[in-house]
């Protein structure tokens, strides 16, 4: 176990326990808009591996890489006690036919993946089919992580800008995009957990874009029903990470970019004397 000057993970007053952790998990997005450098990942693991619980290959990036290279990366992650997630690429595989999911599971196992993520919105599957896929992943010896998206109508966002007292505010027009029923989302997520899913990923991208007026009621309902331990939120910026940690403490599970790992750890450990600076 590595020990740090300001964090050791073996004290009752620390924000969360040593790895492998059931809560306070930090899953890291691997670079996919830039060169996926093995050297870069090795630097992150060597310097901050104790703070990283998982690595996610995003956007199907692993499908563009040689299999030998992927295996080297997954082996490196495991060396640092970091699990590896396949990312949201199962929908592309399923276009090849119903039997492709079993082949996909076996391929992920051969490459060293530990978790398969199922993007519920992209898959567009009937609920019973989604649950069957969760069970197939579990029976294949891997962890299942369904991803749900939180959407809401932009007209629901309260006006927060400066205006004269009593001034008329033009109401925001209703948008035509689908508005997610949070109760339905939670019910489907609960059924996935009952089927054996290990974690529910919440893509709160719409919430995160409106950080100043974040729909805390939606987040509270999800956390209240599913629990912090079984829920992971995507934090698209340090400001969003701070929002979640301020309200739910250092034990909240967050998915962040690799460049935000150290900032997030400082936020988690601010109760030990650290100082938050993103919202100044």
């Amino acid at each position: 176990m590595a020990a740090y000057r300001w964090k050791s993970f073996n004290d009752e007053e620390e924000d969360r326990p040593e790895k492998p952790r059931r809560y306070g998990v930090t899953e890291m997005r691997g670079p996919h808009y830039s060169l996926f450098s093995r050297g870069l990942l090795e630097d992150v693991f060597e310097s901050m591996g104790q703070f990283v619980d998982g690595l996610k290959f995003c956007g199907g990036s692993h499908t563009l890489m040689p299999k030998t290279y992927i295996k080297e990366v997954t082996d490196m992650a495991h060396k640092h006690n970091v699990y590896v997630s396949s990312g949201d690429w199962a929908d592309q595989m399923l276009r090849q036919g119903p039997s492709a999911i079993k082949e996909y599971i076996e391929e992920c196992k051969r490459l060293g993946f530990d978790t398969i993520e199922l993007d519920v919105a992209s898959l567009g599957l009937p609920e019973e089919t989604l649950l069957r896929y969760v069970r197939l992943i579990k029976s294949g010896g891997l962890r299942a992580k369904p991803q749900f998206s939180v959407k809401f109508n932009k007209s629901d966002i309260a006006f927060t800008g400066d205006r004269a007292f009593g001034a008329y505010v033009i109401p925001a027009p209703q948008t035509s995009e689908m508005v997610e029923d949070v109760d339905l989302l939670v019910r489907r997520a609960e059924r996935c957990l009952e089927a054996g899913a290990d974690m529910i990923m919440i893509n709160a991208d719409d919430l995160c874009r409106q950080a100043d007026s974040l729909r805390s009621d939606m987040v509270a309902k999800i956390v209240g029903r599913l629990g912090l331990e079984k829920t992971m939120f995507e934090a698209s910026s340090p400001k969003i990470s701070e929002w979640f940690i301020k309200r739910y403490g250092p034990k909240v599970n967050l998915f962040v970019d690799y460049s935000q790992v150290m900032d997030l750890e400082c936020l988690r450990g601010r109760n030990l004397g650290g100082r938050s600076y993103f919202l100044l």
Side-chain angles (χ1 to χ4, degrees):
M1 180 192 69
Y4 296 84
R5 182 171 60 87
W6 58 283
K7 189 181 283 283
S8 62
F9 296 108
N10 61 358
D11 192 303
E12 291 183 359
E13 295 183 0
E14 292 287 353
D15 46 53
R16 62 206 199 284
E18 177 65 82
K19 295 196 304 184
R21 289 183 271 267
R22 295 181 295 106
Y23 53 83
V25 172
T26 295
E27 185 172 305
M28 180 183 83
R29 176 194 292 110
H32 65 292
Y33 293 120
S34 58
L35 181 65
F36 196 110
S37 167
R38 185 171 53 223
L40 184 153
L41 288 174
E42 189 168 16
D43 288 344
V44 172
F45 290 148
E46 290 289 345
S47 61
M48 297 179 287
Q50 196 68 4
F51 309 141
V52 179
D53 298 272
L55 168 67
K56 176 178 172 180
F57 283 71
C58 289
S61 56
H62 59 286
T63 62
L64 304 176
M65 303 174 189
K67 293 180 180 179
T68 53
Y69 184 87
I70 297 172
K71 191 66 170 64
E72 289 176 7
V73 171
T74 58
D75 287 345
M76 182 199 311
H78 293 153
K79 177 183 175 183
H80 292 273
N81 200 14
V82 173
Y83 69 80
V84 186
S85 175
S86 66
D88 50 353
W89 197 244
D91 55 319
Q92 302 294 327
M93 299 296 298
L94 293 178
R95 292 177 183 176
Q96 302 175 18
S99 62
I101 184 67
K102 294 183 179 180
E103 299 173 9
Y104 182 60
I105 292 170
E106 290 304 314
E107 181 70 3
C108 286
K109 288 175 66 175
R110 284 192 292 270
L111 293 176
F113 288 96
D114 307 284
T115 300
I116 291 180
E117 187 171 291
L118 296 171
D119 189 334
V120 176
S122 296
L123 290 171
L125 296 170
E127 189 169 306
E128 293 304 321
T129 304
L130 172 64
L131 298 177
R132 182 166 67 86
Y133 286 172
V134 169
R135 296 187 187 102
L136 282 172
I137 293 170
K138 293 297 294 181
S139 64
L142 299 179
R143 293 196 286 264
K145 185 173 61 175
Q147 173 178 298
F148 293 86
S149 297
V150 176
K151 292 182 179 293
F152 62 96
N153 206 293
K154 301 300 187 294
S155 63
D156 292 337
I157 303 171
F159 179 81
T160 57
D162 296 329
R163 62 184 176 90
F165 178 76
Y168 176 71
V169 178
I170 300 174
Q174 293 279 317
T175 61
S176 59
E177 64 181 289
M178 181 192 71
V179 180
E180 182 71 55
D181 183 334
V182 177
D183 288 314
L184 176 61
L185 181 155
V186 171
R187 185 187 66 78
R188 297 183 72 191
E190 286 175 331
R191 291 203 66 193
C192 287
L193 291 173
E194 291 169 1
D198 299 89
M199 183 78 74
I200 301 296
M201 171 72 89
I202 301 296
N203 179 357
D205 195 39
D206 273 1
L207 298 178
C208 293
R209 287 190 187 125
Q210 304 292 339
D212 294 333
S213 304
L214 224 156
R215 287 293 302 272
S216 56
D217 57 328
M218 288 185 171
V219 176
K221 183 172 288 188
I222 292 169
V223 171
R225 292 272 294 277
L226 303 180
L228 276 180
E229 187 176 316
K230 292 293 186 179
T231 311
M232 177 177 288
F233 291 95
E234 181 171 355
S236 58
S237 71
K239 188 175 182 180
I240 300 303
S241 298
E242 179 152 358
W243 188 93
F244 277 107
I245 291 175
K246 266 190 167 184
R247 284 152 182 80
Y248 295 103
K251 296 181 180 180
V252 64
N253 303 316
L254 293 175
F255 170 62
V256 299
D257 188 74
Y258 74 96
S259 62
Q260 299 172 18
V261 169
M262 184 57 77
D263 291 337
L264 174 58
E265 198 60 34
C266 290
L267 288 172
R268 291 193 193 275
R270 65 185 176 183
N271 60 312
L272 303 178
R275 185 166 182 261
S276 171
Y277 51 88
F278 292 115
L279 293 183
L280 295 180

